Amino acid sequence: MEDYEVYTLPNGIRIVHKQVPHTQIAHCGIMLDIGSRDELPQQEGLAHFWEHMAFKGTKKRKSFHIINRLETVGGELNAYTTKEKVCFHASVLGLHFEKATELLADIAFHSVFPEKQIEKERSVILEEMAMYYDSPEDALQDDFDQVVFKNHPLGGNILGTPETVKSFTRDQLQSFIVDNLDTERVVFSSVSNLPFSKVKKIASKYLIDIPHRTSERKRLAPESYEPQRVTVERPITQAQCAIGRPSYALADPRRLPFFMLVNLLGGPGMNSRLNMNLREKFGLVYSIEASYTPFLDTGFLGIYFGTDQKHLDRSSALITRELKALREKSLTKLQLHNTKEQLMGQLAMSEESNQSFMLTMGKSILDTGKLDSLEEIFKEIREVDAGLMQDLANEMFDESQLSYLTFVPEPDEDE
């Protein structure tokens, strides 16, 4: 028996549910296969603007009523936008599951985008942009997307630009949804102690009347990549650096082995090679991380760290040395075993969070049409050999193909 069950409504919306008997909390979300990469240049930031505006009024609710609907019963209502997804989600006591489902359907499909609220939310998002700009770690990651995916929507900032955000209108919001909404690319995802029959009945009640819609939208893959080295002066005290390149897409069979390699290099474990070297051995950084994000038709490898400017060259050289070691030296049996065990443990622990699992499940159903069980993922991990890891390192850690974006402190005017 599968860990989850799926039902497709006549309009194409899929309902996916996992029953967890020993929990009192219900987590549910509506995930749409629409993201910032679907925006035209003049629309940059519009998907994120829609995410915000969905909470500002529907055909039967004002903003105040939306905010209070779940808060008054101790629940949480939230949303997020990524390059390829917009998601509205909620967490409540199981007995309020229907209340949460109805509200999510209301804001996702029946928002009216009041003009007065558009002006207010425009200011809120401009403040959000200013907050990110004041955080060099966040700004670095956003700007690095543009370095790697130059002149492509994947390189755009999810928040948009001050110019685009100031220009958005109600008509643009409505047109964006009309152009991109495809009910066959929408998933209602749920994790709770409720049986699937009840979840299916409740979700169907509020989603079945959504008109069936298809979209002519076509996502274009990035055509070419040229490594770049960019240095920007900013009013900061510490140098910030990003290193990376495009990598493997979602359907690429090398995706999981590469994720394992990146986890070994700079994953969340304190024993990652970059952390052990730059922080523990030499004390050059407070934090350093490597991450891999697969998209529909490409992927993204990024290494991020901050350090005193006088240690910037040494830090970069040490990272280069670690990348070279993974290219030139095959992992020993013990190293490979430990790498696999660590990743399997991390994945198992991530499934302990029912909310995270609900979101992962919705995304996986949208992206691949299925959700691999832990046993299937573990089997794939166990089959990875050291030769494949070294081949991936030689392809993805080729120094000539890496881009760099570095924020350095502005020179002191008194010097």
Side-chain angles (χ1 to χ4, degrees), residues 2 201 320:
E2 292 182 315
K201 182 179 179 182
T320 300

Side-chain angles (χ1 to χ4, degrees), residues 32 84 101 170 187 256 400:
L32 305 99
E84 296 185 331
T101 302
R170 186 169 182 264
V187 166
L256 184 59
S400 69

